[in-house]
Amino acid sequence: VHVHNRTYDETIKTTPYSKLFRQSASLQSLRVFGAETYYNIPKHARSNFNPRNNRGYLVEYDNIQLG
């Protein structure tokens, strides 16, 4: 949905984001598939001396809506 709202829609002649907020969407949060990323390790799954995150690679965007 995040990416879909930032793509051009022929029926409204603009992007859904631009139509709703009346400004251009920032694309800085989008990353290339395969890009190096870091993911959080939940607090209950780590001890005091373990790292808070691990390195990984972007495979897909999640379908879960946050916020």
Side-chain angles (χ1 to χ4, degrees):
V1 172
H2 182 79
V3 175
H4 179 74
N5 285 336
R6 285 154 174 76
T7 56
Y8 185 79
D9 186 350
E10 186 65 37
T11 58
I12 60 174
K13 306 291 187 214
T14 186
T15 65
Y17 184 92
S18 298
K19 186 80 167 178
L20 183 62
F21 296 109
R22 298 176 191 209
Q23 64 182 10
S24 297
S26 173
L27 301 177
Q28 288 182 319
S29 65
L30 298 180
R31 300 288 179 253
V32 177
F33 292 111
E36 185 177 349
T37 60
Y38 290 88
Y39 61 93
N40 184 45
I41 300 171
K43 199 174 219 177
H44 67 274
R46 63 178 190 251
S47 67
N48 288 342
F49 298 109
N50 288 357
R52 292 182 180 185
N53 55 35
N54 279 338
R55 184 173 45 183
Y57 296 96
L58 180 65
V59 178
E60 67 179 330
Y61 283 99
D62 200 357
N63 291 332
I64 297 174
Q65 179 183 0
L66 300 175

